[in-house]
Amino acid sequence: MSRPTRALALGLLPLLLLTGLILVVAAGLKSYCLTDWQPGDQPKVCYNDIQTLWHLRDMDQHVAPYQGAVEHTVDAQGHEVIRLGAGQIEYPVVTGVFAWLSSLPVDSVNGFWIVSALALTPFAFLSVLPLYRIVGPRALLFALSPQLAAYAYLNWDLLPVAATAGALWAWHRQRYLLVGVLASVGACAKIYPGFLLLPFLIALLLDRRVADGARMVAAAAGTALALNVPFMVANFEGWYGPFAMQSRRVNDKTTNSIWYWLFDAHQTSIANLCAWAAVFALWGVLIRVGVQRRRSEGSFPALAVAGAMVAGYIAVGRVDSPQYGLWLVPFLVVLAVPWRWVAVFTVTDIWLWAQWSWLWGTPGWMGNAAMLARGLTVLALAFVLARSLEIKPTGSQGAGERRATTNNQPSSPQTSSGAATWRTPSMTSVASDEGTSARPGT
């Protein structure tokens, strides 16, 4: 074993062990639902979408993904309701296939959760590994995050999180084809990893690297087509059903978003329109912040804008499930976000999860306060992320001295052209200068 390989292994071992420890905690939080949990019970700390959707989506029938019929009905108030049946789940194809494969070996709701948790576990390690290769021991921010303990086995979000972490590493290594593939695979699990492609493409085009940008986009498009076309051809209505269902989802308290307060439950079309308008407007502002930084710093901060866009989508999108907090943790790892913002985000995020999971019966104002605090924090965090510098390793193994730089598009895997040395972050000191479902189906 070579010396760099040995150093990498020795650095990774404690990180992986700590990740495993947090996953044990995550499993323990869900253990109560393997005893007396029944569908329709008041939420408890063990609540998870995996077991709930086993019942609601007829997963026990083991029908191939997206092949069942989508039922269109009308409720007592005359509003259209879409019910997803056997083989249907309200997520894109990667998550749907993963859930289906996890259901095949079992015939009980508890077995489904156990198999799903075991199958999701490697993706936690696949998230930590690329982050370590980027920033070394700072990857502990992900491995020991309360979000990993709370959300690892609540839904299937570890799939897109792992794809995102891989895409961040590929971007650092200038492997643009791989960036496109991983971002697309992630978007076919949950939509948000696809957002990374826009700031990455802007950075490449501003650097006049048109061919690299074209290859990245082509790889993303080809991957998306390869994953989706077979289901579209086999049963287009079944494939489109999850998107239709989400677009008509009742605008009630379970969305955890500002639109719950602004519109009636069945004003979904208006709420959707306003939510997407707010998302695109906020993205425009965040991209402008990135362009302004390019003028002063010499390069477009692609990673910073990417993290900001994800945060913006969470803050003003129509649905904000608590587990979406896990989406942001990789960006907190690779960007020099001030510790106070990491702390505020963590506290408000876990407060919302606690309120949503096992404090549901408390007075309504407490839930509203948690939603408001988490939402405002994530909105503010979007601008903090947009202004944050990237933490980049000086060594190829992601260990040793690290530095924050204004250049989020490296000219080589180890160095940055035109980068401005800022300060050397450590596990105890990172930049403090900001300037330089709720229910199933979420």
Side-chain angles (χ1 to χ4, degrees), residues 165-220:
L168 297 181
W169 174 81
W171 176 256
H172 270 279
R173 305 296 292 180
Q174 293 185 287
R175 299 183 181 182
Y176 303 118
L177 284 174
L178 185 58
V179 170
V181 170
L182 290 174
S184 187
V185 169
C188 291
K190 296 286 180 77
I191 188 174
Y192 84 93
F195 302 161
L196 277 62
L197 293 172
L198 179 57
F200 288 174
L201 181 61
I202 291 173
L204 290 173
L205 294 180
L206 289 175
D207 282 351
R208 299 181 181 179
R209 306 181 70 168
V210 178
D212 288 332
R215 282 192 289 269
M216 182 181 69
V217 172

Side-chain angles (χ1 to χ4, degrees), residues 9-88:
L10 291 175
L12 268 177
L13 182 59
L15 185 67
L16 296 178
L17 289 175
L18 290 171
T19 302
L21 177 62
I22 294 300
L23 293 176
V24 170
V25 174
L29 290 173
K30 300 292 178 272
S31 61
Y32 181 81
C33 281
L34 300 178
T35 56
D36 70 344
W37 181 87
Q38 294 294 327
D41 279 358
Q42 284 296 317
K44 300 179 176 67
V45 70
C46 71
Y47 173 85
N48 62 88
D49 290 336
I50 296 172
Q51 287 178 301
T52 301
L53 292 179
W54 171 269
H55 292 284
L56 292 184
R57 300 293 173 255
D58 303 321
M59 300 293 289
D60 57 327
Q61 297 182 31
H62 308 303
V63 176
Y66 309 104
Q67 297 309 301
V70 178
E71 298 180 13
H72 295 260
T73 60
V74 178
D75 63 17
Q77 289 76 38
H79 302 289
E80 182 183 10
V81 176
I82 295 179
R83 184 187 185 280
L84 302 178
Q88 302 295 310

Side-chain angles (χ1 to χ4, degrees), residues 50 98-99 102-103 111-121 153 156:
I50 296 172
F98 186 92
S102 300
S103 74
F112 182 48
W113 182 87
I114 291 171
V115 171
S116 297
L118 290 173
L120 284 167
T121 294
Y153 303 131
W156 292 272

Side-chain angles (χ1 to χ4, degrees), residues 417-429:
S417 60
T421 302
W422 182 46
R423 65 179 69 180
T424 302
S426 69
M427 291 307 297
T428 58
S429 176

Side-chain angles (χ1 to χ4, degrees), residues 86-148:
Q88 302 295 310
I89 194 169
E90 48 266 54
Y91 306 114
V93 296
V94 168
T95 298
V97 171
F98 186 92
W100 171 67
L101 291 173
S102 300
S103 74
L104 293 181
V106 298
D107 58 5
S108 69
V109 63
N110 288 348
F112 182 48
W113 182 87
I114 291 171
V115 171
S116 297
L118 290 173
L120 284 167
T121 294
F123 292 92
F125 296 106
L126 289 174
S127 301
V128 169
L129 178 58
L131 294 177
Y132 178 80
R133 296 299 299 270
I134 299 171
V135 295
R138 186 178 164 85
L140 281 169
L141 278 177
F142 181 89
L144 296 178
S145 67
Q147 287 85 358
L148 184 60

Side-chain angles (χ1 to χ4, degrees), residues 133-134 173 392-402 413-414:
R133 296 299 299 270
I134 299 171
R173 305 296 292 180
K392 192 182 281 93
T394 57
S396 61
Q397 301 302 323
E401 182 183 4
R402 297 174 300 283
Q414 288 80 33

